[in-house]
Amino acid sequence: MTDYGCRTTDHGGPSGLDESYWIATTPGTSHPPLTEDTEADVTVLGAGIAGLSTAWELARRGRSVVLLEADRIAAGVTGYTTAKLSALHTLVYDRLRRTRGPEGARHYAQSQQGAVEHVAETARLLGIDCDLERGPAFTYVRDPESVAGLRAEADAARAAGLPASFVTETGLPFPVAGAVRVEDQARFHPRKYLLALAEDFRSRGGVVHERTRATGLHEGSPCRVTTETGATVTSHDVVVATHYPVFDRALLFTRLSPRREVVVAAPIDAGRDPGGMYITQEEGKRSVRTAPYGDGQRLLIVTGETFKPGTADAGEKYAALTAWTQRHFPGTEVAYRWATQDNDATDTVPLIGPFHPGARHTYVATGFGGWGLSGGAAAGLLLAGLITGDPPPWAGLYDPRRLWSAVREAPAFLKHQAETGRHFVGDRLRSTHADSAADIAPGTGAVVRVRGRRCAVYRDENGTARAVSARCTHLGCLVAFNATEKAWECPCHGSRFAPDGSVLQGPATEALEARDLK
């Protein structure tokens, strides 16, 4: 394992700390909100890895850029990742070889591995201290009946240009039936990397505004982005990199399926480090890696237990993942736990490029399917290339206007629409555990009828009840309460709201309307 001179963080958190390790071990940011109208060559919406990478790539190409973030930079989805920087995305290359042809698989490998190398080189050139380590990544199975699929994946990944092989031995503390191994992948501290990238962006004349939620987009020459602060940014081009697009004109919500999954992290002795990075789709998905954690220790990070927002409580998922971790790594004690959210494109490949068929100066980056670090870095290169007239040769693979691909993989598209329709209609017929607001226990929430209207009611630990509309402000699906994370979640498109109704996560841009319980 190669270490690029990055400092090891000596940070031990209390047991059960409900926070991302990446956020807990980095300083907060405080960039001013946008309060006055301004102009730039490009406006970038969203300051996760896709938005920050795009803004930085454009700034170093001489463009003036305004970066707007609804909350804090690198504190959304990117701040809650497992921080694998890899071109091995579970089982994707054999599928791409069949659906997009050998060239499509090669382009995917070139773009994703290129993103890994680009981040490593950027960290080196800028002297970014981000715990970057190089090593192998594995996709494994324990079921012998799944080995044939892994062999096909290894062959497809190797044909696509990756240093891939099929193996039967790994560093995991349990036997596997087989694994795809790809060399020269990476893991790092994403927030350390992105905070440093943001500072370099600002040194190049870039402007960052936090706590500035975009609420409107006028496409034209020029484009105008309006914000909830009342200020407007006028620019030649606009990039929507908000994880889930906050504007619906491209109807991308029909091609994106949101999911959440939980993460637990526990210190282990360095001698127990399994080496490399591991993932399997078995057992409800399991992903394993480690990070530097002081002298003689590593931080074991385990992910899995996926669920659709608004359909499960994270507490049960944490319990299942913790039990799995302690069974395979005895004696571990969880020091951090957090949940993350991803969007899967119905045809596998992220949507990066022109926002819609008629777009001339608006672009989007979304649908990374759990691989947003390599995907976000690749998006920065791709979008900066499109805007400056020098796109990479693999740009066409990611073009959001590829409707032929959505048609080809219609079963996944139709399944997503059926699930959305089921929630939109079925959730209105389903009863909850509470008949009235009075039945809701402290620290919990439920959707109840109040004078004939469905209200989302949360009662805090002190017994005070707060009610908001139960209809998501995106497209009107009913929200459900996630008691562990204390959030209202929309099962249709993944919007999330705080107990007071304020937006935590898009595509919704407006808060749930307050309701009177009296």
Side-chain angles (χ1 to χ4, degrees):
M1 193 71 67
T2 304
D3 190 321
Y4 282 83
C6 298
R7 173 176 52 85
T8 297
T9 302
D10 185 6
H11 188 289
S15 177
L17 176 64
D18 286 309
E19 182 57 282
S20 157
Y21 172 72
W22 319 120
I23 291 179
T25 54
T26 46
T29 56
S30 183
H31 299 285
L34 180 68
T35 57
E36 298 180 349
D37 293 350
T38 189
E39 298 181 358
D41 293 332
V42 185
T43 306
V44 177
L45 309 181
I49 189 167
L52 267 169
S53 295
T54 302
W56 182 76
E57 298 288 352
L58 287 166
R60 74 182 187 127
R61 287 166 170 78
R63 297 298 197 270
S64 61
V65 183
V66 169
L67 178 62
L68 304 182
E69 168 55 46
D71 190 15
R72 298 298 187 190
I73 61 175
V77 172
T78 301
Y80 290 82
T81 177
T82 51
K84 289 181 176 181
L85 186 61
S86 174
L88 180 62
H89 298 171
T90 318
L91 300 174
V92 68
Y93 291 99
D94 186 45
R95 182 175 182 178
L96 287 176
R97 184 168 60 176
R98 289 182 280 106
T99 60
R100 305 294 182 90
E103 184 179 50
R106 282 196 301 272
H107 280 168
Y108 192 86
Q110 290 168 2
S111 58
Q112 298 298 321
Q113 186 63 36
V116 173
E117 304 302 335
H118 186 63
V119 169
E121 180 64 9
T122 300
R124 187 189 66 80
L125 288 175
L126 299 183
I128 300 177
D129 177 9
C130 60
D131 298 339
L132 182 70
E133 299 173 326
R134 300 299 292 264
F138 300 80
T139 296
Y140 73 91
V141 296
R142 303 184 71 181
D143 181 359
E145 294 186 359
S146 300
V147 167
L150 277 193
R151 289 187 181 277
E153 181 68 13
D155 177 71
R158 188 166 51 250
L162 294 180
S165 60
F166 175 82
V167 299
T168 56
E169 298 291 333
T170 72
L172 290 168
F174 49 79
V176 302
V180 180
R181 174 177 176 141
V182 175
E183 310 295 341
D184 301 327
Q185 304 308 291
R187 51 191 178 185
F188 71 143
H189 193 306
R191 191 164 155 82
K192 287 182 181 179
Y193 173 79
L194 289 173
L195 293 183
L197 200 68
E199 286 306 304
D200 192 73
F201 166 68
R202 294 178 67 229
S203 74
R204 297 171 186 269
V207 177
V208 179
H209 291 291
E210 296 179 320
R211 300 294 169 90
T212 304
R213 187 178 300 278
T215 56
L217 170 62
H218 170 77
E219 297 184 65
S221 296
C223 298
R224 294 194 303 276
V225 173
T226 56
T227 68
E228 64 182 0
T229 65
T232 297
V233 183
T234 301
S235 59
H236 187 266
D237 298 290
V238 174
V239 173
V240 180
T242 54
H243 189 59
Y244 202 118
V246 293
F247 305 113
D248 290 333
R249 65 198 62 185
L251 301 182
L252 294 184
F253 63 85
T254 66
R255 299 163 63 186
L256 295 171
S257 179
R259 58 179 165 87
R260 288 185 74 71
E261 61 185 81
V262 299
V263 185
V264 297
I268 60 173
D269 291 337
R272 300 175 66 192
D273 185 351
M277 300 170 286
Y278 300 86
I279 191 168
T280 181
Q281 294 290 12
E282 297 176 339
E283 302 181 87
K285 183 184 175 182
R286 293 292 183 263
S287 171
V288 178
R289 64 153 289 194
T290 66
Y293 199 73
D295 293 339
Q297 286 190 311
R298 303 282 294 180
L299 187 67
L300 177 70
I301 302 171
V302 182
T303 313
E305 296 296 320
T306 62
F307 63 99
K308 198 173 184 68
T311 65
D313 187 85
E316 297 176 358
K317 305 298 184 179
Y318 281 128
L321 196 63
T322 299
W324 186 93
T325 302
Q326 293 176 339
R327 183 165 65 253
H328 294 295
F329 296 87
T332 53
E333 182 178 354
V334 172
Y336 299 89
R337 67 178 198 176
W338 65 91
T340 188
Q341 188 155 322
D342 290 303
N343 297 310
D344 297 311
T346 55
D347 65 350
T348 307
V349 177
L351 304 158
I352 309 169
F355 199 3
H356 53 79
R360 297 294 178 268
H361 300 287
T362 54
Y363 304 86
V364 70
T366 187
F368 296 113
W371 300 101
L373 294 185
S374 61
L381 292 167
L382 194 163
L383 294 173
L386 288 174
I387 290 171
T388 59
D390 185 26
W394 38 264
L397 175 69
Y398 295 93
D399 195 326
R401 300 169 298 184
R402 57 179 194 266
L403 297 180
W404 60 270
S405 177
V407 172
R408 175 179 291 180
E409 303 207 12
F413 175 83
L414 294 174
K415 179 182 178 182
H416 170 55
Q417 297 312 307
E419 289 178 351
T420 300
R422 177 171 56 82
H423 283 295
F424 189 86
V425 177
D427 289 355
R428 285 165 166 74
L429 305 177
R430 187 177 300 113
S431 61
T432 67
H433 67 273
D435 294 324
S436 69
D439 296 331
I440 299 173
T444 64
V447 174
V448 298
R449 286 187 178 274
V450 178
R451 293 189 299 278
R453 294 194 299 180
R454 284 186 174 83
C455 295
V457 181
Y458 169 71
R459 189 176 300 279
D460 65 24
E461 301 295 347
N462 296 321
T464 301
R466 179 192 295 269
V468 294
S469 170
R471 288 170 55 90
C472 177
T473 55
H474 176 225
L475 290 178
C477 291
L478 292 187
V479 298
F481 194 64
N482 181 333
T484 300
E485 298 185 78
K486 297 291 188 290
W488 296 106
E489 298 177 343
C490 175
C492 291
H493 305 109
S495 295
R496 303 178 70 245
F497 305 86
D500 65 359
S502 57
V503 178
L504 295 175
Q505 197 155 2
T509 59
E510 298 179 7
L512 299 175
E513 184 179 347
R515 293 282 190 255
D516 187 1
L517 283 174
K518 297 180 181 180

